[in-house]
Amino acid sequence: MAAGIPFIPDNAPFTPEQRAWLNGMLAGIFSSAPAATAAESRPSRRIAVLYASQSGTAEGLARKLAKELKAQGHQPAVSTLVGYTPAALAAESCALILASTYGDGEAPDGVRPFFEQLCLEHFPRMEKLSYAVFALGDRHYEHFCKFGQDLDSRLAALGANPLCSRIDCDIDIDEPFSQWKTDVIARLNDASSARPHAQQSAAKHISETISDPKLESKEPKQETLKSISRDNPLFATLVEKRNLTHPASTKTTIHLAFSIAETALSYEAGDACGVIPKNDSNLVAEILQSLRLNGNEQVQCGKSGTTTLHDALTHHLQITRLSRKIVTEYAKKGQCAKLLDLLLPEQQAKLEKYVYDRGLIDMLIEHPGVIDDPAELVAMLPKLTPRLYSISSSPVAHAGEIHTTVAVIRYRSNNRDRGGVCSTLFADRVSVSDRLPLYIQPNKKFRLPSDSEAPMIMIGPGTGIAPFRGFLYERRALGHKGRNWLFFGERSAETDYLYREEIEAMHTQGHVTRLDTAFSRDQDDKVYVQDRMLQNAGEFWRWLQDGASVYVCGDASYMAKDVHAALLRIVEIEGGKSAENAQEYVNALKEQHRYHRDVY
Ligand SMILES: Cc1cc2nc3c(=O)[nH]c(=O)nc-3n(C[C@H](O)[C@H](O)[C@H](O)COP(=O)(O)OP(=O)(O)OC[C@H]3O[C@@H](n4cnc5c(N)ncnc54)[C@H](O)[C@@H]3O)c2cc1C
Ligand SMILES: NC(=O)c1ccc[n+]([C@@H]2O[C@H](COP(=O)([O-])OP(=O)(O)OC[C@H]3O[C@@H](n4cnc5c(N)ncnc54)[C@H](OP(=O)(O)O)[C@@H]3O)[C@@H](O)[C@H]2O)c1
Ligand SMILES: Cc1cc2nc3c(=O)[nH]c(=O)nc-3n(C[C@H](O)[C@H](O)[C@H](O)COP(=O)(O)O)c2cc1C
């Protein structure tokens, strides 16, 4: 340290990043070096890297981004938006925000208070802040990336300066993230976009930082790291596995029970269970064979470090699906004429069909000899991600166990039988007494009504029944007196009536007050749960007037949208409201926490 320049001692209450930043700033302020020399080097900036994440994707990307910013000489400070304040944001000069969307286009759990404060009418303007938003979402949902969009609009309305355009990212994350990261870093390193760091504002920032311990980086504490999570799952023993569908059915849905007795894992009815799947060993063997590799080759595989190619393909990489990114990289590497042709803008529809109908194995077989270094393949493939399942048990009624209800994905395309990674793992490749890695994904917005007397209307066709089985058992075990109305739908009553005996027994006993079923393929014309809702519109409306909460679970692409439309229609017809007023009524239900959706 040069003489005369003050510095922050190692025992001062700052994170290493904050200390480095403060020392840098102090050096800048007190240094007698001529201004021209300082201007020659690229300014090192403190950058707040903030994330709003529920299942860890945005958090993982935030950490990746921070690593890269550090490598570029900047000083990133990573923090979750849970417990973060807009005042802390206003004190930053640059913030990069990665935000996912949940519920009905809302913020992830715990982030809402931050956003509500930011939206207060007289919140001070943030003209000194440069920012960029990376919005994570899933196009299956009606409100695609809405929270990231809302955050972006609000910051812009407060006068903050966008560094680059927001990216709204669907489930294929790698390519858009890499594009956004490149844009952001280019803008940060571009002297013209970097906001001038007036010594006065830097000094002001230092005093705020020193006096505001809340600005300390919110890195997870050691205890959190040790608790059971996606990165540190519990290996739970499978204690029950049975078919819920008849062998003659056109689909297979299975019930699974895992023991969590004497473990640190706990959950609430309404939560989901995350499962870390592994790929089918036959498919892994076929891929290795097509590459003429034996699987013992050492590869670097992200967070998992050095491992064998066999282990990477089995546990860490998504090997069943293709994407435009994979096809592009593979085609360019191998100069595969047919694939390069598919990548032309005018062939978009053909490329989509190619990617939808095939997996990695098809491309390796159709265009052999492209990969000679296993590391190239590892770099091309996305990570294998956990799968979520709505828990179908109640922690009170089924102490020491977690139940799930899984529809098995099987289909045939391009002359090959294929299956979903996790659902076929459950169906074909695990047996009772096997141990599987799981964790809990809390779903705080999907809970029983706080009033034990309040009526509940549950609409859950197919595997959508799962959380409602949990709710019904929980309410019965807790002695809740509120009425319960269940809508269930499946293909056929004879072969697909999931948990039939349990539900009909609860109905006979009066615990399920009303039961309406819609077996879509038992007659010529399709009948769905929303048809039953409309047939019982008067009664449905009376339950709403009595304070009922409405819950919907299952398919997001079609069912949830149609059920939503049916709910609006009931409010219009039975409540005598215009379309606009019906919408307001349903919005009010949401505000009162009386309309909840767990859709996928
Ligand atoms: C909050 C939440 C709760 C959930 N709860 C449940 C639940 O209770 N029960 C349940 O069963 N699932 C549930 N899911 C879905 C579950 O997480 C998995 O997505 C599902 O089991 C499929 O995973 P998989 O690994 O078997 O299939 P994947 O390997 O992920 O394969 C699925 C993919 O296969 C492709 N595919 C499927 N059919 C075809 C076809 N005919 N032609 C071409 N391609 C096709 C599609 O690309 C599809 O995305 C839930 C999801 C979420 C987000
Ligand atoms: N590819 C596969 O083999 C496969 C297998 C299982 C599940 N899945 C997917 O996994 C998810 C959950 O599946 P699931 O087993 O829970 O059941 P599901 O596929 O959602 O079906 C449950 C019931 O809902 C009906 N349904 C279809 N469209 C509807 C709509 N617009 N409104 C209301 N009801 C509707 C189905 O009828 P019909 O089917 O008769 O139209 C069936 O009776 C879905 O997203 C589904 O696409 C795929
Ligand atoms: C229960 C649930 C609800 C979701 N709702 C939405 C939604 O309304 N809009 C959207 O674009 N994405 C929605 N998603 C998708 C997530 O935003 C997406 O998977 C994101 O990558 C998750 O990021 P995270 O792991 O950081 O939480 C939802 C996902 C789940 C599991």
Side-chain angles (χ1 to χ4, degrees):
M1 181 70 54
I5 299 179
F7 70 99
I8 305 289
D10 284 356
N11 60 357
F14 298 109
T15 61
E17 283 103 355
Q18 285 173 332
R19 201 176 313 119
W21 178 80
L22 288 167
N23 281 329
M25 275 301 167
L26 289 169
I29 292 166
F30 290 90
S31 164
S32 54
T37 318
E40 269 161 28
S41 64
R42 183 197 293 151
S44 167
R45 306 186 67 180
R46 174 190 158 93
I47 297 162
V49 180
L50 305 171
Y51 61 84
S53 183
Q54 194 149 311
S55 55
T57 320
E59 178 179 356
L61 298 181
R63 294 191 187 286
K64 230 184 222 177
L65 176 64
K67 222 170 158 182
E68 193 136 342
L69 289 169
K70 218 170 186 172
Q72 298 273 332
H74 295 293
Q75 290 143 25
V78 181
S79 172
T80 167
L81 284 179
V82 177
Y84 193 82
T85 62
L89 179 60
E92 298 287 353
S93 66
C94 177
L96 307 178
I97 310 178
L98 301 98
S100 65
T101 294
Y102 277 85
D104 269 326
E106 291 151 24
D109 286 348
V111 178
R112 198 169 163 162
F114 165 83
F115 192 59
E116 279 173 358
Q117 283 180 44
L118 191 70
C119 290
L120 289 176
E121 202 179 333
H122 299 295
F123 196 83
R125 292 186 60 77
M126 290 193 171
E127 274 145 4
K128 291 200 175 113
L129 178 74
S130 303
Y131 76 99
V133 173
F134 185 72
L136 292 90
D138 180 337
R139 277 193 197 279
H140 283 102
Y141 290 92
E142 192 180 345
H143 304 290
F144 175 55
C145 286
K146 176 140 189 319
F147 178 60
Q149 293 165 0
D150 290 350
L151 199 54
D152 186 20
S153 310
R154 182 61 186 152
L155 289 172
L158 288 171
N161 307 291
L163 271 172
C164 61
S165 303
R166 186 189 71 241
I167 285 195
D168 293 341
C169 161
D170 202 358
I171 48 174
D172 245 340
I173 287 168
D174 292 354
E175 203 171 299
F177 176 63
S178 139
Q179 188 195 324
W180 183 75
K181 194 174 62 174
T182 311
D183 285 0
V184 162
I185 290 178
R187 300 284 299 173
L188 284 170
N189 292 346
D190 171 2
S192 63
S193 82
R195 296 174 62 72
H197 271 120
Q199 289 194 347
Q200 196 189 355
S201 72
K204 180 170 173 278
H205 198 142
I206 290 174
S207 69
E208 280 171 358
T209 310
I210 292 169
S211 63
D212 186 359
K214 279 189 211 122
L215 285 182
E216 212 177 298
S217 164
K218 294 186 180 68
E219 294 280 338
K221 298 272 181 297
Q222 205 51 37
E223 316 84 79
T224 339
L225 286 177
K226 275 188 195 148
S227 60
I228 293 162
S229 65
R230 175 181 170 146
D231 289 332
N232 182 32
L234 170 82
F235 281 79
T237 306
L238 182 65
V239 291
E240 188 186 353
K241 169 173 153 178
R242 66 186 157 90
N243 269 358
L244 295 171
T245 43
H246 189 272
S249 171
T250 47
K251 69 196 287 190
T252 306
T253 303
I254 50 182
H255 173 81
L256 299 153
F258 296 92
S259 172
I260 54 162
E262 291 164 31
T263 72
L265 203 69
S266 64
Y267 69 95
E268 287 185 48
D271 284 344
C273 170
V275 179
I276 320 280
K278 63 176 180 174
N279 288 307
D280 181 358
S281 56
N282 291 326
L283 182 59
V284 172
E286 210 180 337
I287 289 174
L288 287 171
Q289 196 185 13
S290 73
L291 293 167
R292 298 179 187 279
L293 295 169
N294 64 26
N296 294 327
E297 299 78 7
Q298 297 287 300
V299 289
Q300 277 296 324
C301 195
K303 267 201 264 178
S304 324
T306 308
T307 185
T308 62
L309 179 61
H310 184 275
D311 179 63
L313 292 174
T314 307
H315 294 285
H316 305 299
L317 299 170
Q318 175 67 53
I319 60 170
T320 51
R321 300 180 204 156
L322 279 180
S323 64
R324 171 181 262 275
K325 172 181 175 276
I326 302 176
V327 175
T328 307
E329 288 178 19
Y330 193 85
K332 284 188 180 158
K333 165 102 196 25
Q335 283 304 304
C336 313
K338 269 193 183 166
L339 291 180
L340 288 169
D341 188 51
L342 277 183
L343 293 168
L344 297 171
E346 60 273 24
Q347 303 286 11
Q348 178 68 15
K350 273 194 188 160
L351 175 67
E352 276 172 22
K353 184 168 165 27
Y354 183 87
V355 165
Y356 185 72
D357 273 356
R358 288 170 177 77
L360 175 68
I361 185 65
D362 306 82
M363 192 174 69
L364 295 178
I365 292 173
E366 287 165 19
H367 306 276
V370 172
I371 303 285
D372 35 43
D373 176 359
E376 293 166 350
L377 181 71
V378 172
M380 253 176 222
L381 300 176
K383 300 279 168 295
L384 181 59
T385 53
R387 306 304 199 247
L388 293 177
Y389 295 95
S390 311
I391 296 178
S392 52
S393 49
S394 141
V396 185
H398 307 100
E401 288 190 357
I402 284 187
H403 299 177
T404 56
T405 308
V406 178
V408 184
I409 307 264
R410 295 190 203 276
Y411 57 97
R412 189 170 174 81
S413 65
N414 199 36
N415 299 321
R416 182 181 273 269
D417 288 326
R418 301 170 201 265
V421 174
C422 193
S423 58
T424 62
L425 170 73
F426 284 143
D428 306 336
R429 305 190 297 279
V430 294
S431 329
V432 164
S433 82
D434 285 347
R435 280 154 34 96
L436 276 100
L438 344 154
Y439 65 96
I440 298 301
Q441 173 72 56
N443 190 357
K444 293 189 181 128
K445 299 204 178 85
F446 207 74
R447 292 282 183 253
L448 285 172
S450 49
D451 176 1
S452 64
E453 310 266 314
M456 281 176 82
I457 302 177
M458 293 165 269
I459 303 153
T463 51
I465 187 76
F468 303 140
R469 178 177 182 265
F471 280 168
L472 286 167
Y473 274 109
E474 179 101 344
R475 275 201 135 185
R476 189 166 73 175
L478 294 174
H480 286 192
K481 296 282 177 282
R483 287 174 286 152
N484 300 305
W485 186 348
L486 178 66
F487 288 89
F488 174 68
E490 251 304 350
R491 291 180 182 176
S492 168
E494 283 305 305
T495 53
D496 309 305
Y497 195 159
L498 312 181
Y499 301 111
R500 179 177 198 154
E501 284 178 13
E502 295 174 41
I503 291 168
E504 289 189 342
M506 284 189 189
H507 187 215
T508 310
Q509 291 151 9
H511 182 54
V512 172
T513 323
R514 278 207 64 151
L515 175 61
D516 285 277
T517 53
F519 292 103
S520 51
R521 304 192 188 183
D522 278 354
Q523 57 287 306
D524 289 341
D525 294 328
K526 291 265 172 132
V527 176
Y528 289 150
V529 281
Q530 59 273 24
D531 300 316
R532 299 294 184 225
M533 288 166 64
L534 289 164
Q535 283 161 6
N536 293 284
E539 184 74 359
F540 200 109
W541 174 248
R542 278 190 291 281
W543 278 55
L544 287 178
Q545 294 302 91
D546 291 345
S549 292
V550 179
Y551 296 78
V552 184
C553 181
D555 170 58
S557 307
Y558 304 103
M559 182 278 294
K561 289 173 188 154
D562 294 347
V563 164
H564 183 78
L567 175 62
L568 286 169
R569 193 86 194 105
I570 289 171
V571 175
E572 260 182 73
I573 299 169
E574 299 298 325
K577 294 184 192 297
S578 65
E580 198 181 323
N581 290 345
Q583 188 63 62
E584 276 169 18
Y585 182 94
V586 171
N587 288 345
L589 283 182
K590 283 187 203 161
E591 299 271 308
Q592 297 157 19
H593 306 293
R594 288 175 52 208
Y595 182 29
H596 314 262
R597 306 204 303 172
D598 174 19
V599 295
Y600 41 88

